[in-house]
């Protein structure tokens, strides 16, 4: 299991900004730099036997996702602008809208409950 963990560490050692910003691409005479939200994680574990040695139960796993947020492009001489991927921005806002809605609901319930008490 230690060898597998070492292999995973080596594989993900260079993951970072280079994964969030893609290589520049030429499309229609315009240079675009793709931008994404990249997240990953992995873990593992085992069952130590009664004498401190590794037991029979060992395992691990991992996963990740990539959300294409948009591209950087030039907007005239020397000006760089970000063009958002509207669909992904809206998808990313869903949890925020849900959290705000739940917070407002909780506040309204509290205010309503306090008004009914004498």
């Amino acid at each position: 299991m230690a060898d597998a963990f070492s292999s995973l560490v080596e594989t993900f050692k260079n993951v970072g900004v280079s994964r969030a910003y893609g290589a520049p691409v030429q499309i229609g005479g315009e240079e675009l730099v793709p931008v994404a939200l990249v997240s990953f994680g992995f873990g593992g574990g085992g069952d130590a036997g009664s004498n401190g040695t590794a037991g029979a139960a060992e395992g691990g796993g991992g996963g990740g996702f990539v959300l294409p947020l948009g591209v950087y492009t030039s907007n005239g001489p020397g000006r760089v602008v970000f063009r958002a991927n509207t669909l992904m921005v809206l998808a990313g806002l869903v949890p925020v809208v849900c959290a705000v809605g739940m917070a407002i609901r909780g506040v309204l319930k509290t205010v309503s409950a306090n008004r009914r008490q004498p």
Side-chain angles (χ1 to χ4, degrees):
M1 177 120 164
D3 292 336
F5 184 73
S6 297
S7 174
L8 281 172
V9 169
E10 286 301 316
T11 301
F12 290 105
K13 187 184 271 185
N14 296 322
V15 173
V17 173
S18 63
R19 297 291 184 234
Y21 296 95
V25 179
Q26 291 284 337
I27 297 178
E30 191 175 13
E31 184 176 51
L32 307 173
V33 178
V35 180
L37 173 65
V38 179
S39 180
F40 66 91
F42 59 91
D47 180 23
S50 59
N51 60 0
T53 60
E58 293 182 347
F65 67 90
V66 177
L67 294 175
L69 297 179
V71 296
Y72 279 109
T73 185
S74 63
N75 187 19
R79 294 193 62 205
V80 176
V81 295
F82 179 74
R83 290 189 192 166
N85 178 347
T86 309
L87 184 60
M88 285 299 114
V89 171
L90 291 174
L93 288 176
V94 167
V96 174
V97 171
C98 289
V100 169
M102 290 175 65
I104 291 172
R105 178 180 163 205
V107 168
L108 292 176
K109 275 185 161 181
T110 303
V111 169
S112 175
N114 286 339
R115 283 189 176 178
R116 282 188 243 148
Q117 293 178 355

